[in-house]
Amino acid sequence: MSTLPIIQRYIWLVNTIARFDGRLTFGEISRRWEDSPLNDGSPLSRSTFYRYREGIRELFGIALECDAARGNVYYIAQDDCDGRLQTWLLDTLGLVNTVGESRTLAGRILPEHSPSGGPKLAVAVEAMQAGQVMTMSYAGFNPHNVPSTFRIMPYAVKQSMNRWYLIGEGEDGRIRPYAFDRIRELTPTQDTFEFPAGLDVDGLFVHSVGVMTDEAPERIVIKVLDGQANYVRSLPLHHSQEEVEGEPDTFAIFVRPTIDFIMKLRSYGPAIEVVAPSWLRGQLASEADIIRQRNS
């Protein structure tokens, strides 16, 4: 294993153990490496295997543990701190490994392009770890696309609706999301900050679709038409979604009625009818009338 980049070896090892969680010994893992299309002709020695386990723990925060009571099989230890992050990492690494082993299918595995955090995301995470205040040049969606420069305390990074966001507190004392694809420059300073005790960053967005938090959450009831209800069941509009008893294909959601949520409703077109609240029902009905008039 001398020429394959170390990161690919880590990904292969994590994915292999994840696929056969708790069923493979070191010998079986080594034999699977021999059969892998990623193998460059070098065997997987025990010392190399142990070294990779430590590297994977340091880089990804994923622990590959040995269960001696079950015959020295390896499994992925659950991370009690953030199981969601670990699941995302395993899913991502598994996909990377699958694509890497399927180069002959180039042109037939078609990921969707979405804005990524790129190098700036890594800079932000490092500043979060060090508790460093950052200087940021940010160009929001304003008429002239003119960036503004200010200082920010980076509290978290969040992925939402195919974008990565930096969640931080600016000089005005407000905690806001900043899309990485709109950040022009991001530079750590020598100043430091303490993460606010008791701040639940995830809780800021518990009632949001997307990252906007300006609106107060309220109960929204929708009826799904045109046989599309199963799509809404299989991919809920929000985690609070529940079916209204006695009302077929009708769902209730407790959510902030932000523009992100309203745009999600619009994406279903006439297949979704807002039952309540009346103001949102009226707003979408007015928009539909305007569209009909434009097309007539």
Side-chain angles (χ1 to χ4, degrees):
M1 302 177 76
S2 58
T3 61
L4 193 68
I6 190 74
I7 188 70
Q8 288 184 257
R9 305 173 206 169
Y10 288 175
I11 292 171
W12 178 88
L13 184 55
V14 170
N15 189 56
T16 298
I17 293 178
R19 287 168 57 196
F20 300 92
D21 201 16
R23 286 179 283 166
L24 298 182
T25 63
F26 165 73
E28 291 166 331
I29 294 170
S30 181
R31 284 191 289 275
R32 288 187 175 277
W33 170 250
E34 292 176 2
D35 296 332
S36 171
L38 299 179
N39 189 351
D40 58 3
S42 301
L44 175 63
S45 69
R46 192 174 292 273
S47 61
T48 299
F49 174 68
Y50 290 152
R51 191 167 67 250
Y52 288 172
R53 284 176 63 194
E54 290 304 310
I56 289 167
R57 185 192 295 268
E58 292 179 7
L59 184 61
F60 300 126
I62 295 175
L64 308 180
E65 302 290 357
C66 180
D67 188 344
R70 295 174 55 202
N72 292 321
V73 294
Y74 285 87
Y75 66 97
I76 295 178
Q78 292 298 313
D79 184 352
D80 294 332
C81 296
D82 196 338
R84 183 177 59 179
L85 176 60
Q86 186 180 66
T87 298
W88 177 79
L89 277 170
L90 291 174
D91 288 346
T92 301
L93 296 179
L95 179 60
V96 170
N97 184 75
T98 299
V99 173
E101 290 190 328
S102 308
R103 294 172 183 168
T104 57
L105 297 179
R108 295 167 61 189
I109 299 177
L110 309 174
E112 182 174 304
H113 173 74
S114 60
S116 70
K120 295 185 182 69
L121 191 149
V123 171
V125 170
E126 290 176 0
M128 286 161 51
Q129 291 177 321
Q132 289 177 288
V133 177
M134 309 188 79
T135 298
M136 180 168 70
S137 176
Y138 188 77
F141 289 143
N142 57 62
H144 303 290
N145 201 32
V146 177
S148 58
T149 301
F150 51 91
R151 288 159 60 90
I152 183 173
M153 292 181 284
Y155 290 158
V157 293
K158 176 179 174 60
Q159 187 180 32
S160 177
M161 302 173 74
N162 294 323
R163 270 191 168 90
W164 278 99
Y165 293 85
L166 172 61
I167 311 301
E169 181 178 335
E171 295 171 308
D172 60 359
R174 295 185 59 188
I175 299 175
R176 292 175 176 157
Y178 300 91
F180 273 100
D181 55 301
R182 295 172 221 158
I183 296 176
R184 299 288 180 84
E185 295 182 14
L186 194 61
T187 307
T189 70
Q190 296 299 314
D191 297 330
T192 60
F193 70 93
E194 293 289 335
F195 186 81
L199 175 62
D200 178 10
V201 180
D202 201 31
L204 296 175
F205 306 100
V206 69
H207 297 307
S208 297
V209 170
V211 294
M212 300 179 69
T213 60
D214 294 337
E215 306 288 342
E218 59 182 297
R219 186 173 185 265
I220 295 172
V221 180
I222 61 171
K223 185 173 182 61
V224 184
L225 312 171
D226 301 333
Q228 301 297 303
N230 283 335
Y231 290 98
V232 176
R233 289 188 181 97
S234 62
L235 191 63
L237 299 176
H238 186 254
H239 63 79
S240 66
Q241 177 177 301
E242 59 182 13
E243 299 202 31
V244 177
E245 187 175 353
E247 299 290 338
D249 300 338
T250 302
F251 303 86
I253 308 161
F254 190 69
V255 68
R256 301 178 191 274
T258 62
I259 186 61
D260 286 341
F261 174 70
I262 293 173
M263 288 177 66
K264 196 164 189 176
L265 291 181
R266 289 172 182 156
S267 70
Y268 282 84
I272 280 186
E273 174 188 340
V274 174
V275 178
S278 58
W279 72 265
L280 181 56
R281 177 182 175 88
Q283 176 178 319
L284 294 182
S286 297
E287 292 175 358
D289 288 339
I290 292 173
I291 292 174
R292 280 193 293 269
Q293 292 173 10
R294 288 174 179 172
N295 294 334
S296 62

